[in-house]
Amino acid sequence: MASAVLVMALSGCAVMQPYGFMSSRECMTRVMYFESNRSSAEGMLAVGTVVMNRLADRRFPKSVCAVVGQPNQFAPGVLWNPMREGSSLRLAQSMADKVLNGYRHPGVRKAMFFHTAGLHFPYTNMHYVLEAGGNAFYEKY
C-alpha cells in the first residue's frame, strides 16, 4: 500500500483537486445551492448559466468541476460544505440537470460574473444584465 502511494505521489496522481471524484452534476448542484442563496429556481438557473458561459470561454477551465473549483471565484467551501436543506437540494439537483442538458437563463446572456445584489463597485467595465437569486449578474467590457 505504501509503495502504491509513493508511486502515485511521484507520478503526480496524488495531487487531486477537492472535486476530483465529483460528477459535473454534483459540482453544478453545489454551486447552484450555495451561490443562489437557496432562493429560487431562477437564481439557480442564472448561476448555472454563468458556469456554462465560463465553460464555453477559452479563458476558463474545460470542465464544470474545474470552473466551480477555481480559487476565489465562488463561495468558499462550495465543493465541500454540507448541503442540509432538503427541498433546496432537490431544486438545485433538478436545475443542474436542466442546465447540463442545455437550458439557460436568457437574461444572463453572456455574463460570466456576478456578486451579491445590493453591492456597488466603482468600476466602469461592469455591464449589469440581471438580478436574480440575491445576485447581480454582469458582463465585463
Side-chain angles (χ1 to χ4, degrees):
M1 175 69 171
S3 61
V5 171
L6 178 60
V7 169
M8 286 175 49
L10 293 175
S11 69
C13 294
V15 181
M16 293 293 295
Q17 299 293 336
Y19 50 81
F21 297 103
M22 290 184 182
S23 67
S24 294
R25 182 181 190 247
E26 184 172 359
C27 292
M28 183 65 77
T29 297
R30 295 182 71 76
V31 75
M32 290 175 152
Y33 178 92
F34 287 109
E35 289 290 358
S36 71
N37 304 310
R38 295 170 287 289
S39 63
S40 66
E42 181 188 22
M44 290 181 183
L45 180 59
V47 168
T49 301
V50 164
V51 171
M52 297 310 287
N53 285 350
R54 288 181 178 199
L55 188 61
D57 187 285
R58 63 179 172 73
R59 296 171 292 178
F60 291 90
K62 294 300 167 209
S63 78
V64 170
C65 290
V67 168
V68 174
Q70 278 193 289
N72 305 312
Q73 294 298 304
F74 295 102
V78 71
L79 291 175
W80 59 82
N81 283 335
M83 296 182 284
R84 294 190 171 105
E85 296 176 26
S87 61
S88 296
L89 174 56
R90 285 187 295 279
L91 178 59
Q93 289 168 329
S94 171
M95 295 310 297
D97 290 339
K98 288 181 179 184
V99 167
L100 292 171
N101 285 311
Y103 193 63
R104 303 289 184 268
H105 192 301
V108 172
R109 301 186 328 203
K110 294 184 181 194
M112 289 188 276
F113 305 96
F114 62 92
H115 61 72
T116 302
L119 297 179
H120 299 282
F121 299 95
Y123 310 116
T124 58
N125 67 339
M126 299 166 74
H127 173 70
Y128 290 93
V129 296
L130 177 72
E131 188 171 314
N135 292 309
F137 296 82
Y138 63 95
E139 298 171 343
K140 280 188 179 180
Y141 294 135

